[in-house]
Amino acid sequence: MRASDRAYAALRDDITEWRLLPGTVLGEVEQSQRLGVSRTPLREALGRLTAEGLTTTAGGRGVVVTAVSLEDIDELFELRETLERRAAALAAERGDSAVFLQLQKELLEAPALIDGTDTGRHAYYELAGRLDAAIDAAASNSYLAQAIRGLRVHLVRVRRLAADDARRLTAAAAEHAAIAEAIAGRNPRLAEAATTLHLHRSLSHVKNTHTPHDKEHHG
Amino acid sequence: MRASDRAYAALRDDITEWRLLPGTVLGEVEQSQRLGVSRTPLREALGRLTAEGLTTTAGGRGVVVTAVSLEDIDELFELRETLERRAAALAAERGDSAVFLQLQKELLEAPALIDGTDTGRHAYYELAGRLDAAIDAAASNSYLAQAIRGLRVHLVRVRRLAADDARRLTAAAAEHAAIAEAIAGRNPRLAEAATTLHLHRSLSHVKNTHTPHDKEHHG
DNA sequence: CCTCCAACTTTTGTATACAAAACTCTTGTT
DNA sequence: AACAAGAGTTTTGTATACAAAAGTTGGAGG
């Protein structure tokens, strides 16, 4: 694995896991020493993060970790709804029913996996990720898929703000199952509606459990 | 201006203007010498282009200019419709009517500008760009705006394939005026419909005037 | 004649040294 | 005391040298 890839992955994880808080300035020498790479691959990593919007160049003062305000979350979900509704509708038109029937089946059985432990939560995230990937593949629009990928990195950061307890995860599984069912049934409008419902509930959950988190400058 | 910015702008223009054809391999030493910069800023430029999708890394064989197939154009416009419909609807909800009334007025007078010369075409593109910018600003969703910006670089490349004659430009001005009117009238559904109509006509024009362009490997 | 392996060549990836620009702190003046 | 100008310091931007990896070509063996 390339040094720039390792630096990128490490920084991205540090940011999405809120170990590097918004406002933190990422000095090139400091971070390159911390991650054990030279400045060249580190700069490449910072460039990627900035292109994704996880960091921003503060005009000569180095790159800083971007904040995620309440307003950002609203905007994020506004775009997410636009993109994922379309992806779900396209998947319903173009997808293979068998794939989504199988996913629906697994999602209906998901509550058995969700036991409140980290293992259970991780197992569910993996399953939800498989549904996302299946929808992207079925929509078969590489530009749409890329736009959604660009959003996801922000969404995992937001997800870390919310307390994903067993109750919310169980409800989310049912919502996901409804999406899979609509796609398997080749019903684009229903797939859009199910997606809207899921995202609305997801956003409500985030905003309800979102304790006014510190987003001020670090250090 | 930084050397990496110059290299990026030069390469991006060379690609969108079809001076660097799809399949062309962009060797680092070759391009850095051609553009008069060292490899370091050139690599940064290539990284940006690859993130945007104008180039792709062909596994160890360097980065190559991506192709734009007929299928790509369909996918591009599919995403474009999704994003711009939403942006127009949000602009109709949130925008300032006066701004769009003024734009509508200018767009209705645009046929006078369009005389078939490059100057006339450029003047119209500038006006259409102002409408796009006004919609982005009125939608006031930075993530949506970023997604649309990511598309535009591909769209200018596609536009270069189409013969934008005076007749098409005049028709496009009327379509744009309809969008501006709908937003000024604070009618989101009408703004979406006008956007759909414009994009449909725009896509049809591209596909009709699109002589099967060479997209094979260069040299 | 085809295939596989190895040395060679080319190209990318990384480290470091140097240049330039931006920020900061001091100092002098109003 | 407040502000501006300038030297110093820190940080980013660029160039180049070196290392590593991938591709290619030539030759030997089947």
Side-chain angles (χ1 to χ4, degrees):
Chain A
M1 197 185 210
R2 297 187 303 177
S4 60
D5 291 334
R6 280 186 291 122
Y8 165 76
L11 286 170
R12 186 202 54 201
D13 289 350
D14 283 342
I15 293 171
T16 55
E17 307 280 325
W18 297 89
R19 288 188 293 264
L20 287 174
L21 297 180
T24 307
V25 305
L26 302 177
E28 294 182 2
V29 294
E30 176 193 356
Q31 294 300 319
S32 66
Q33 286 169 2
R34 181 173 79 89
L35 300 174
V37 300
S38 81
R39 277 182 61 213
T40 305
L42 185 103
R43 275 174 71 89
E44 189 177 319
L46 290 179
R48 277 205 258 173
L49 292 169
T50 299
E52 290 178 336
L54 250 35
T55 57
T56 185
T57 64
R61 235 224 206 79
V63 334
V64 303
V65 179
T66 55
V68 180
S69 65
L70 262 303
E71 198 184 337
D72 282 319
I73 294 177
D74 283 331
E75 292 184 7
L76 218 40
F77 270 76
E78 200 167 76
L79 175 58
R80 187 186 183 187
E81 186 182 330
T82 305
L83 294 175
E84 295 204 351
R85 273 174 62 100
R86 189 79 170 114
L90 289 173
E93 293 173 13
R94 303 169 179 169
D96 176 12
S97 292
V99 170
F100 291 94
L101 269 178
Q102 171 64 24
L103 281 166
Q104 183 198 2
K105 179 168 165 288
E106 291 185 58
L107 283 161
L108 289 174
E109 294 166 355
L113 296 175
I114 300 164
D115 52 5
T117 67
D118 259 21
T119 313
R121 196 167 67 219
H122 191 276
Y124 175 68
Y125 285 155
E126 187 274 333
L127 179 54
R130 293 224 316 275
L131 176 61
D132 283 342
I135 292 174
D136 286 359
S140 76
N141 184 320
S142 58
Y143 296 92
L144 177 60
Q146 189 184 352
I148 291 178
R149 270 199 305 276
L151 263 189
R152 284 213 182 109
V153 67
H154 291 276
L155 291 170
V156 316
R157 187 151 74 132
V158 169
R159 186 168 72 189
R160 275 302 215 145
L161 286 177
D164 270 351
D165 52 16
R167 199 159 89 232
R168 172 59 200 146
L169 256 40
T170 304
E175 295 158 21
H176 277 144
I179 295 171
E181 183 184 8
I183 296 173
R186 305 194 140 282
N187 190 330
R189 279 183 49 236
L190 189 61
E192 286 186 352
T195 300
T196 296
L197 195 63
H198 169 59
L199 294 182
H200 176 80
R201 299 248 172 91
S202 186
L203 177 57
S204 293
H205 178 72
V206 168
K207 291 175 105 167
N208 283 336
T209 68
H210 172 58
T211 70
H213 204 282
D214 180 35
K215 284 173 216 67
E216 296 310 307
H217 284 244
H218 174 263
Chain B
M1 197 185 212
R2 296 187 303 176
S4 60
D5 290 335
R6 281 187 290 123
Y8 165 77
L11 286 169
R12 186 203 54 200
D13 289 350
D14 284 342
I15 293 171
T16 56
E17 306 280 324
W18 297 88
R19 288 188 293 265
L20 287 173
L21 296 179
T24 307
V25 305
L26 303 176
E28 294 182 2
V29 294
E30 178 193 355
Q31 295 300 319
S32 65
Q33 285 169 3
R34 181 173 78 89
L35 299 175
V37 301
S38 81
R39 278 183 59 214
T40 305
L42 185 103
R43 276 176 70 90
E44 188 177 320
L46 290 179
R48 277 205 258 173
L49 292 169
T50 299
E52 290 177 338
L54 250 35
T55 58
T56 184
T57 64
R61 236 223 207 80
V63 335
V64 303
V65 179
T66 55
V68 180
S69 65
L70 263 302
E71 199 184 337
D72 281 320
I73 294 177
D74 283 331
E75 292 184 8
L76 219 39
F77 270 76
E78 200 167 77
L79 177 57
R80 187 186 183 187
E81 187 182 329
T82 305
L83 293 175
E84 295 204 351
R85 272 175 61 101
R86 190 78 170 115
L90 289 173
E93 293 174 14
R94 303 170 180 169
D96 175 12
S97 292
V99 171
F100 292 95
L101 268 179
Q102 171 62 25
L103 281 165
Q104 182 198 2
K105 178 168 166 288
E106 292 185 57
L107 283 161
L108 289 174
E109 294 165 356
L113 297 176
I114 300 164
D115 51 7
T117 67
D118 258 19
T119 312
R121 197 166 67 220
H122 191 277
Y124 174 68
Y125 285 156
E126 186 274 335
L127 178 54
R130 292 221 322 272
L131 176 62
D132 283 342
I135 292 174
D136 286 359
S140 76
N141 183 321
S142 58
Y143 296 92
L144 176 60
Q146 189 184 353
I148 291 178
R149 271 198 306 275
L151 262 188
R152 284 210 183 111
V153 67
H154 291 276
L155 292 170
V156 316
R157 186 150 76 132
V158 168
R159 186 170 70 188
R160 275 303 214 144
L161 286 176
D164 270 350
D165 52 18
R167 199 160 86 234
R168 173 59 199 146
L169 255 40
T170 305
E175 294 158 21
H176 277 145
I179 294 172
E181 182 183 9
I183 295 172
R186 305 196 140 279
N187 190 331
R189 279 183 50 237
L190 189 59
E192 286 186 353
T195 301
T196 296
L197 196 63
H198 169 58
L199 294 182
H200 176 80
R201 300 247 172 92
S202 185
L203 176 57
S204 293
H205 178 71
V206 169
K207 291 174 102 167
N208 284 337
T209 67
H210 172 59
T211 70
H213 204 282
D214 180 34
K215 284 171 219 66
E216 296 311 306
H217 285 242
H218 174 264

